[in-house]
Amino acid sequence: MTFEALKPMVSSIINDKVLITEEKLSKICELLKENIEYYNWVGFYFKNGDKDELKLHAFAGEPTDHTIIPFGKGICGQVAFSNRNFVVPDVKAQNNYIACSIFVKAEIVIPLFVNGENVGQIDIDSHTADPFTNKDEDFLEFVNGEVAKIL
């Protein structure tokens, strides 16, 4: 399914009046994982209160031991500091990478902003080497913009 076809589906989940926020986040994770072939794990991490760490809130894919990630550690922890998109075409080439699965070959992390503050991120792991393009970044920025409306 194309990113353009997925956008209204993401918006529909966000605008659902019955679901609570955590359910919406889970449904978005499932939607992306099931409809984008190379999105093998999709999750939302958010700042954990006033601690300098991220906490996993919703995901689709294999369970992970990495439910808490300190700022600065791994790709997600680096994005918490940099406030910038981080595309990793080959996770083996990264010194500061937290391995979630032996099958992960690439990762993309996009920060999620509410009123200009980085409050979390969407994290995608792929079993495909170097699959992410600018179109993935643009689409995931759209997803985060939609999610920001309910936070």
Side-chain angles (χ1 to χ4, degrees):
M1 189 172 294
T2 67
F3 293 137
E4 289 306 311
L6 287 169
K7 283 181 177 180
M9 298 169 84
V10 169
S11 297
S12 177
I13 292 168
I14 293 298
N15 294 320
D16 188 301
K17 301 294 185 211
V18 176
L19 300 174
I20 63 169
T21 299
E22 288 295 319
E23 291 171 321
K24 291 178 183 185
L25 294 173
S26 291
K27 284 194 170 293
I28 289 170
C29 291
E30 292 167 18
L31 177 73
L32 301 188
K33 182 185 176 298
E34 295 304 316
N35 289 285
I36 302 171
E37 182 180 339
Y38 54 94
Y39 284 20
N40 301 108
W41 190 92
V42 179
F44 284 100
Y45 285 92
F46 291 99
K47 187 169 187 220
N48 191 13
D50 60 354
K51 299 176 185 171
D52 286 340
E53 64 186 23
L54 298 164
K55 183 176 182 180
L56 181 61
H57 278 256
F59 71 94
E62 292 293 316
T64 179
D65 292 335
H66 305 289
T67 57
I68 301 289
I69 299 176
F71 284 9
K73 187 161 171 74
I75 308 308
C76 291
Q78 291 176 73
V79 169
F81 275 140
S82 73
N83 298 323
R84 299 180 66 190
N85 297 354
F86 198 157
V87 180
V88 182
D90 178 6
V91 296
K92 290 183 183 123
Q94 286 295 313
N95 293 334
N96 191 5
Y97 171 69
I98 301 172
C100 293
S101 162
I102 60 170
F103 301 110
V104 176
K105 293 187 167 100
E107 184 174 10
I108 185 170
V109 179
I110 308 295
L112 196 159
F113 297 96
V114 174
N115 298 322
E117 179 187 353
N118 182 350
V119 298
Q121 52 202 227
I122 191 169
D123 177 21
I124 313 288
D125 290 344
S126 181
H127 299 171
T128 304
D130 196 14
F132 305 115
T133 68
N134 289 341
K135 290 181 180 179
D136 292 276
E137 287 188 74
D138 292 344
F139 173 67
L140 295 171
E141 287 171 359
F142 165 83
V143 170
N144 280 356
E146 290 294 286
V147 170
K149 295 175 182 177
I150 60 170
L151 299 178

